[in-house]
Amino acid sequence: MRLEVGPFVERHSQFAAIDAAIENCRARDGQLLIFEGALGLGKTALLNEAKKRAQHAGFTLLYARGSEFEAGFPYGVVRQLFEPWLATADAAERKAVLSGPAKLAAPLFEYGTGGVATGAGPEQRQAVLHGLYWMCVHLARRAPLLLLLDDLHWADVSSLQFLTYMEGRLEGHPVLVCAATESVDDGQRADINQALLSASSARLVAVGPLSEEGVRAFATGALPGVRLDDTMVRACYAATGGNPFFLRELLAEVREEQLGDPASIARVGPRNIARVVLRRLQQLPQPLAEHTTRLARALAVLDAPGEPALANAAHAAHAAHVAGLDAAEAADAVSTLMDLGIVHALPPLRFAQPVVRTAIYEHLPLPSRHRAHARAAKALHAAGATGSQVVPLLVPLPPSGDEWTATVLAEAGREALEAGDPAAAVRLLRRALNEPAPAALLPALLARLGAAELRLRDPEAPAHLGEALELTEDPLDRAAIVIDLSSALTAAARYEDALALLQQAHAAVQGRSREVELRLHSEIVKVAQLTPRTRPLAVRELSRLDRTVVGEAGATAALVGAQQAFEALIGGRPAHEVLRTAERALLHGPLTAPPDGGAQASWLIALVFACCDRLLEADRLLHEALREAEERSMLLATADLRALHAWLRFQRGMLAEAETDGSLALGSTEEAGVPPTGMPFAAGALIDSLVAQGQLRTAARVVDRCGLDNDISRQPTFLPLVMARGRLRIAQGEPEAGVHDLLRSAEALTEWGTDCPALSPTATAAATLARMGRTREARGLAEETLASARRFGTPRTVAGALVATGLAHEGRAGLRYLEEAVALLEDSPAALERCLALTEYGVALRREDRADRARPLLRKAGEIADGIGAAALAKRIRGELAAMGVRARVPTRTGVSGLTPRERSVSALAAEGKRNQEIARMLFVTVKTVEWHLGQAYRKLGIASRGELRDALARV
């Protein structure tokens, strides 16, 4: 990206020192001004600033720069200072400058014939220094003189002796010596340099790194028009330590799109930083230069970002091993790197600026990098390092067939899976498999890889689990693999394949392990319940299990109890009997337990409670199960539980919460690739909540993304989604297509063998037929639904059937049905259904010219609709009130309760840390829509930033 020259930042004290020295010099009070600091802190830039200001003040300027290549040549820096001026001066000027005592220095420049030779003894060297001093005095008589000396730490000894000689003789002369240096601690040069730095007439000015605010100011000046937020500034400061050179190179390397992603800063390693730092190391005397370079490259491999460093002594020893240095060589190299500011002076051993580490690492030759990785990994492993320290060194290596590498990676994959990080486990286990792993490791490795992929809904899971099963002989080990494989096959709708495997495994473990046998049995029931053809098998197996788990406790027994309750529900038993079975299941033990699929008991019982009008209990149970599943990193369970939670929240009329949960569940599904079992519940709840809010286009996009086809739309697990599509079509003005979806779903439920009105969409279908004018058809379907609902016996199910029946009848008969529905839902937590019943009753009363009774009912319905954000129903209610001459205002509200469902959904996701692009994708809207809703939410909540959202939403 285009980068302006970085500005001077936080250098006010250095500028003040320059100005003071110039003023003193003009007053014939010469001075030695030395800027000291590490590589990249801007010492040369300060010398240039001194040059510019001195030129403006009329100074004569002489410049020289120390170099490692000339450090062994006597008077090398002195020659650089004076030769350019002498070469351009005319004869009279040279004669004047080299007159008197200054003649003693003439042989250095081959001007004149007398004087002392360069290599003469102490007296003659003293004479040369005296001559050089008088040259400066003569030059300063013409105009104040500035001697600029860069990289003084590389100056030759003779030139340093000249500066020492000058330092004590500057008083009374307009001569300013301005130098820049790093610390020097080798030989005679170090002694002279130290003498200069501690001289009484010298002013030492330290040059340090920028502060965090300095980094912000530097970046703002270097990138005009680009605004960096606090997080990006902190990332730049952490990477560079405030070093201006490193910061400039970093900003020049970063692409514009990376400026919004602070994590990208840690991955940038500019080549120029590596070149300059390594060149600085090569300037050291040999063999120290070679040793420090090798150690820096070894440390670049060991000092991996985000990995915990070992204790300092151990880390230094490992770095020495990787670099191929003995203890003494490594100690000298570490000390030198610390003196140069390249590594931290305090343990643990690491680079002072992470960007330097990244730059050196990224520009290591690949063969050297791979060798260093392998040596480092084995050194750390031998020293007892953890897998988190060793594995990052192995992953970048190309497969080599190394058994040790495969074993370490496989063990790290196992640890990651047990720690609840299946994504990391998949990466490590696949890498171990590609090594390739030895035959002895393959069965367990493939089984763990398949299990990890299953938790991520990866379509590769069945293949790897199948391979593991073929290679495994022990029946109990095979059973564990079969349980995972059956889950993978079930997710892919391969129910019969899953059943066959489970039955074979069940037969093989009989008499070996009661717990495994029972677990396989419950898995057989779970899969068999999913299709009409196999459901009779589930009924038979449950009947057998009912006799065998009496008195048993534990997660498997609880799951069997939950399956029995679910079978009672779909089998059409009265609600009180279903609830009794579900409550008995709660006594068996925990409903949520590993492995990852182990939340099915919670899921089934919550569904049963919800269908039996125990909505609040179902919500509490799901909330607790979700918390446990997330804490244990049970990704499959979390996705399925959140999907059902979305469906339950819609049943309660909590539209914003249903939209948020549904979006989160579907978002995790899309990232994983294979849909979870609960996906249709999530999608159905999301579609229904959007329809209720009047967001029909967005709801249609959800349907399109879910991809319903004829093959899956009749499968029981997908029916919630098909029903939601039917309700959407009705809202879109396509009642024929919508009723077709609903009646087709009812037929699929009948084929499945269920007779539960709480799961059936026939009430909605009957109500729609009535609105279409097909009253005879509607009446028959509604009365049949009402009879079934009364047998089931829950107020909400009966009320829904009563509303449909009331719409199918005219006059007082219809009013009686609607009045009963309103009475049944008076205290119900199902706010949307209560609102709908009030609305239909109010509308029916208005049509019967009973406006006095209709008005309060419709006003009450309007309050509920506005409160839950049911925009479509609220609009209809306002229209009905307007038809009676009542003006209904759209309420203006603030605070959390004033947020619309969409504003609440967007805010909840933003408070969880989701970026606007992620929220837009999850809610099926544009980024600008997200930004607009957030702006509205900020206004209503009285906040100004995203960071305040979490606390603001918690205020009720």
Side-chain angles (χ1 to χ4, degrees):
M1 65 184 299
R2 185 175 181 274
L3 185 69
E4 300 291 334
V5 176
F8 279 113
V9 175
E10 297 182 338
R11 295 293 183 253
H12 305 296
S13 62
Q14 288 84 357
F15 290 168
I18 292 171
D19 290 337
I22 289 173
E23 288 302 313
N24 291 340
C25 188
R26 294 177 66 182
R28 305 186 67 79
D29 184 10
Q31 188 173 355
L32 174 59
L33 182 65
I34 302 177
F35 296 112
E36 184 184 34
L39 172 71
L41 293 178
K43 303 183 296 298
T44 298
L46 288 169
L47 291 186
N48 290 334
E49 185 66 17
K51 173 184 175 182
K52 182 174 70 174
R53 296 186 183 207
Q55 280 179 323
H56 184 71
F59 276 59
T60 298
L61 304 177
L62 302 181
Y63 173 81
R65 181 175 187 176
S67 166
E68 73 274 20
F69 301 112
E70 298 182 5
F73 295 97
Y75 298 106
V77 167
V78 167
R79 291 177 187 276
Q80 283 189 58
L81 275 174
F82 294 104
E83 282 181 339
W85 185 88
L86 290 168
T88 57
D90 58 32
E93 289 175 321
R94 287 197 300 271
K95 182 177 180 180
V97 169
L98 290 170
S99 65
K103 290 181 181 179
L104 299 171
L108 288 179
F109 314 105
E110 299 178 350
Y111 293 103
T113 57
V116 182
T118 301
E123 292 183 5
Q124 288 83 358
R125 287 198 297 271
Q126 183 72 12
V128 171
L129 296 177
H130 190 62
L132 290 170
Y133 161 68
W134 277 103
M135 284 183 67
C136 292
V137 172
H138 292 160
L139 281 167
R141 286 173 180 166
R142 301 160 53 86
L145 177 64
L146 172 62
L147 304 182
L148 281 173
L149 298 164
D150 202 358
D151 288 343
L152 189 64
H153 49 282
W154 290 122
D156 59 275
V157 171
S158 300
S159 296
L160 288 171
Q161 289 172 335
F162 160 67
L163 292 178
T164 305
Y165 188 86
M166 283 288 296
E167 175 270 323
R169 293 168 175 78
L170 291 173
E171 186 176 355
H173 300 289
V175 178
L176 171 59
V177 180
C178 191
T181 187
E182 296 178 17
S183 61
V184 179
D185 55 343
D186 62 312
Q188 189 179 5
R189 289 168 56 248
D191 296 336
I192 300 174
N193 203 299
Q194 188 58 42
L196 281 171
L197 295 178
S198 59
S200 59
S201 65
R203 178 168 183 190
L204 180 64
V205 180
V207 183
L210 305 178
S211 68
E212 190 172 310
E213 282 306 307
V215 168
R216 183 193 305 278
F218 186 100
T220 300
L223 301 172
V226 177
R227 184 180 179 277
L228 300 182
D229 61 22
D230 293 345
T231 307
M232 277 298 297
V233 171
R234 282 193 293 271
C236 291
Y237 179 72
T240 64
N243 185 295
F245 168 65
F246 297 157
L247 180 59
R248 183 177 67 249
E249 295 297 323
L250 175 71
L251 294 174
E253 187 95 355
V254 175
R255 295 187 300 274
E256 290 191 27
E257 63 268 20
Q258 291 176 295
L259 290 174
D261 178 18
S264 68
I265 295 298
R267 298 189 292 269
V268 176
R271 177 181 291 276
N272 202 34
I273 291 180
R275 183 185 63 80
V276 169
V277 171
L278 292 175
R279 179 176 178 273
R280 179 66 182 88
L281 298 183
Q282 288 299 316
Q283 292 168 341
L284 296 168
Q286 292 294 352
L288 185 61
E290 177 65 19
H291 294 167
T292 53
T293 301
R294 284 159 58 184
L295 189 71
R297 285 173 166 162
L299 185 59
V301 172
L302 282 166
D303 191 19
E307 294 301 327
L310 299 178
N312 187 46
H315 205 167
H318 297 139
H321 176 79
V322 177
L325 303 175
D326 62 31
E329 292 169 338
D332 288 343
V334 168
S335 177
T336 302
L337 290 172
M338 288 179 177
D339 290 342
L340 293 173
I342 293 173
V343 301
H344 275 293
L346 298 175
L349 185 63
R350 66 198 188 282
F351 281 89
Q353 297 90 12
V355 71
V356 177
R357 179 264 165 194
T358 306
I360 293 175
Y361 179 84
E362 290 298 325
H363 300 293
L364 266 175
L366 206 55
S368 299
R369 187 192 301 180
H370 288 164
R371 285 194 299 272
H373 270 268
R375 289 170 64 93
K378 291 189 176 180
L380 292 179
H381 188 265
T386 64
S388 64
Q389 293 167 322
V390 175
V391 165
L393 296 166
L394 294 174
V395 170
L397 295 176
S400 62
D402 183 62
E403 185 171 338
W404 176 83
T405 298
T407 302
V408 171
L409 289 168
E411 179 62 18
R414 180 191 65 79
E415 291 174 357
L417 184 59
E418 291 178 354
D421 190 353
V426 166
R427 288 195 300 272
L428 294 168
L429 293 168
R430 284 179 177 172
R431 175 64 182 78
L433 190 63
N434 291 335
E435 187 56 25
L441 281 180
L442 276 179
L445 192 157
L446 286 165
R448 291 181 186 126
L449 175 57
E453 290 169 335
L454 173 64
R455 280 144 185 78
L456 294 175
R457 302 289 185 179
D458 192 303
E460 295 293 320
H464 287 136
L465 289 167
E467 288 182 61
L469 191 62
E470 289 181 8
L471 296 172
T472 303
E473 296 182 0
D474 181 83
L476 295 179
D477 291 340
R478 286 175 61 83
I481 297 171
V482 164
I483 289 171
D484 278 340
L485 182 52
S486 71
S487 295
L489 294 173
T490 300
R494 293 172 57 185
Y495 306 117
E496 294 187 4
D497 292 341
L499 267 179
L501 281 174
L502 288 167
Q503 288 172 321
Q504 291 171 10
H506 183 260
V509 302
Q510 287 189 1
R512 293 175 179 268
S513 169
R514 169 63 176 161
E515 179 62 26
V516 174
E517 185 181 346
L518 192 60
R519 176 74 196 283
L520 286 166
H521 213 150
S522 67
E523 289 294 317
I524 291 171
V525 171
K526 180 179 81 172
V527 178
Q529 282 182 323
L530 297 176
T531 68
R533 198 178 71 80
T534 58
R535 191 164 156 252
L537 172 63
V539 175
R540 291 196 302 273
E541 294 299 318
L542 276 174
S543 177
R544 288 176 54 199
L545 284 170
D546 192 31
R547 296 189 295 272
T548 59
V549 300
V550 174
E552 290 199 22
T556 303
L559 173 57
V560 171
Q563 289 172 330
Q564 291 167 336
F566 180 64
E567 182 58 41
L569 175 74
I570 62 179
R573 307 296 300 169
H576 67 276
E577 293 184 18
V578 176
L579 284 170
R580 188 163 58 245
T581 307
E583 288 165 348
R584 189 170 66 241
L586 294 175
L587 304 176
H588 284 292
L591 300 182
T592 304
D596 199 357
Q600 191 198 1
S602 300
W603 198 94
L604 290 174
I605 292 180
L607 177 62
V608 166
F609 277 173
C611 289
C612 293
D613 269 15
R614 301 267 282 268
L615 295 176
L616 299 181
E617 289 177 61
D619 204 335
R620 284 194 295 270
L621 192 154
L622 274 179
H623 182 78
E624 181 64 21
L626 258 174
R627 183 187 62 79
E628 290 184 28
E630 287 176 342
E631 286 178 357
R632 297 177 180 184
S633 298
M634 298 166 64
L635 302 184
L636 299 180
T638 299
D640 284 341
L641 289 168
R642 194 177 293 282
L644 186 63
H645 204 228
W647 178 84
L648 175 61
R649 290 294 176 87
F650 177 76
Q651 304 304 308
R652 292 185 58 188
M654 301 170 70
L655 304 184
E657 291 81 357
E659 183 181 357
T660 302
D661 274 335
S663 298
L664 286 171
L666 284 184
S668 66
T669 298
E670 289 185 346
E671 291 170 7
V674 179
T677 307
M679 184 277 282
F681 281 86
L686 179 55
I687 293 164
D688 282 334
S689 64
L690 290 169
V691 168
Q693 295 171 67
Q695 304 284 339
L696 302 187
R697 290 184 180 178
T698 306
R701 286 199 291 272
V702 177
V703 172
D704 292 341
R705 192 170 294 190
C706 290
L708 279 173
D709 58 40
N710 290 331
D711 290 334
I712 67 170
S713 62
R714 294 185 69 84
Q715 294 178 13
T717 51
F718 282 86
L719 291 181
L721 176 53
V722 181
M723 296 177 201
R725 184 180 66 180
R727 289 185 283 267
L728 169 62
R729 286 173 166 174
I730 292 167
Q732 289 174 319
E734 303 176 25
E736 289 285 356
V739 168
H740 175 75
D741 271 345
L742 297 178
L743 294 180
R744 190 178 177 190
S745 298
E747 291 172 4
L749 287 171
T750 302
E751 292 172 5
W752 188 32
T754 181
D755 186 25
C756 178
L759 297 172
S760 175
T762 53
T764 304
T768 304
L769 289 170
R771 295 188 187 99
M772 293 167 63
R774 293 161 59 176
T775 52
R776 178 177 298 179
E777 190 177 350
R779 191 176 301 134
L781 182 59
E783 289 175 353
E784 181 182 337
T785 302
L786 180 58
S788 176
R790 292 194 189 279
R791 287 194 299 273
F792 185 62
T794 59
R796 193 162 60 97
T797 308
V798 173
L802 284 168
V803 169
T805 309
L807 293 175
H809 289 77
E810 298 178 352
R812 292 185 178 180
L815 290 176
R816 283 197 301 272
Y817 288 120
L818 293 170
E819 183 179 17
E820 185 183 354
V822 169
L824 284 172
L825 294 172
E826 186 174 1
D827 298 320
S828 174
L832 185 60
E833 292 185 61
R834 185 182 176 211
C835 180
L836 181 61
L838 286 167
T839 302
E840 296 295 1
Y841 188 28
V843 170
L845 286 169
R846 182 187 69 78
R847 289 174 180 167
E848 292 292 320
D849 294 326
R850 300 171 69 173
D852 55 330
R853 291 190 59 193
R855 286 192 198 96
L857 292 173
L858 290 172
R859 284 199 181 101
K860 190 173 185 180
E863 290 173 4
I864 297 173
D866 288 331
I868 64 176
L873 195 52
K875 181 179 180 181
R876 180 188 174 196
I877 292 166
R878 285 193 292 273
E880 293 292 342
L881 287 170
M884 291 186 288
V886 178
R887 184 180 178 184
R889 295 181 179 178
V890 178
T892 301
R893 299 158 62 183
T894 60
V896 177
S897 61
L899 298 178
T900 66
R902 177 51 58 84
E903 290 164 358
R904 192 156 185 168
S905 295
V906 169
S907 299
L909 292 171
E912 289 189 5
K914 299 289 189 298
R915 299 170 66 85
N916 287 0
Q917 291 88 342
E918 294 178 276
I919 298 171
R921 179 180 55 78
M922 296 174 74
L923 298 184
F924 309 93
V925 295
T926 65
V927 173
K928 286 200 172 294
T929 300
V930 171
E931 292 169 350
W932 188 85
H933 284 304
L934 277 176
Q936 292 293 99
Y938 291 171
R939 180 181 59 78
K940 293 180 181 180
L941 296 172
I943 62 176
S945 70
R946 206 181 197 94
E948 302 173 79
L949 267 175
R950 187 180 293 275
D951 290 339
L953 292 175
R955 296 195 296 266
V956 179

